Amino acid sequence: MISDSTRARFAREVAKYPAEQKQSAVMACLAIVQQELGHVSEDSERVIAEVLGMPVIAVHEVTTFYNMYNQQAVGRFKLNVCTNLPCQLRDGNKALKHLEQKLGIAMGETTPDGLFTLQQSECLGACADSPVMLVNDRAMCSFMSNERLDQLIDGLRAAEVK
Ligand code: FES
């Protein structure tokens, strides 16, 4: 399930480091797998471990440390709401609860239509802008009041229907 072209992309990343430090390419290889398959499976971790000459558990530690790596399939829109302490003090949990109610799912779940996955996030480095969230690991959304959350969800849904 890891194609030759994926292995070629791994090799390009590995070539950026001294031969004895090829494990330094682990994050790049995980990102490649996720880009191509949508998530990082245990099988993919095994292949990366073999390519980089490192223990599978060491690859898994990286996958599980960063919540940008998906350990299972996620919806079209992955929503990560920051609930670390500074954000908890400024309505981060309220934003998460509001999204749970609006989407009809609990944190960690995906809507039945496969559109939204809702997750918690560690500090996004924008505590003063709380509530904050990331969409698909890229788009940062700040000051997410319930009204702004509703606009975001409705907008993403509408864009997907078009
Ligand atoms: S604690 Fe939420 S952005 Fe820092």
Side-chain angles (χ1 to χ4, degrees):
M1 45 129 241
I2 297 286
S3 66
D4 289 346
S5 71
T6 302
R7 284 181 183 271
R9 291 184 69 191
F10 288 171
R12 279 198 291 278
E13 295 302 324
V14 169
K16 295 176 182 173
Y17 302 96
E20 71 279 8
Q21 289 172 22
K22 60 183 180 180
Q23 69 272 20
S24 299
V26 65
M27 291 182 71
C29 291
L30 288 168
I32 289 167
V33 164
Q34 179 157 307
Q35 194 181 55
E36 296 192 358
L37 304 175
H39 71 287
V40 179
S41 66
E42 290 179 10
D43 282 348
S44 300
E45 288 177 338
R46 271 192 285 278
V47 172
I48 291 171
E50 171 209 312
V51 168
L52 301 181
M54 56 194 291
V56 178
I57 186 65
V59 176
H60 188 63
E61 284 169 357
V62 179
T63 309
T64 53
F65 183 81
Y66 296 100
N67 60 14
M68 284 185 175
Y69 295 122
N70 305 325
Q71 294 171 62
Q72 57 263 321
V74 296
R76 168 81 181 82
F77 300 108
K78 177 179 155 191
L79 310 174
N80 281 83
V81 181
C82 179
T83 53
N84 262 23
L85 185 57
C87 279
Q88 275 187 36
L89 299 173
R90 297 191 61 197
D91 292 338
N93 280 348
K94 195 173 117 192
L96 181 65
K97 288 277 165 251
H98 183 74
L99 284 175
E100 284 182 330
Q101 281 172 359
K102 182 161 180 75
L103 297 172
I105 56 174
M107 192 275 295
E109 294 180 344
T110 298
T111 53
D113 60 6
L115 263 191
F116 298 100
T117 296
L118 184 59
Q119 298 181 345
Q120 285 179 302
S121 155
E122 298 300 327
C123 179
L124 295 170
C127 318
D129 298 349
S130 183
V132 294
M133 59 187 291
L134 265 186
V135 179
N136 285 349
D137 301 323
R138 291 280 190 284
M140 182 79 168
C141 304
S142 301
F143 304 110
M144 297 307 286
S145 61
N146 289 352
E147 294 72 29
R148 285 172 60 91
L149 289 169
D150 289 344
Q151 286 170 3
L152 174 71
I153 297 302
D154 295 344
L156 291 174
R157 219 177 237 140
E160 203 54 22
V161 168
K162 282 183 187 169

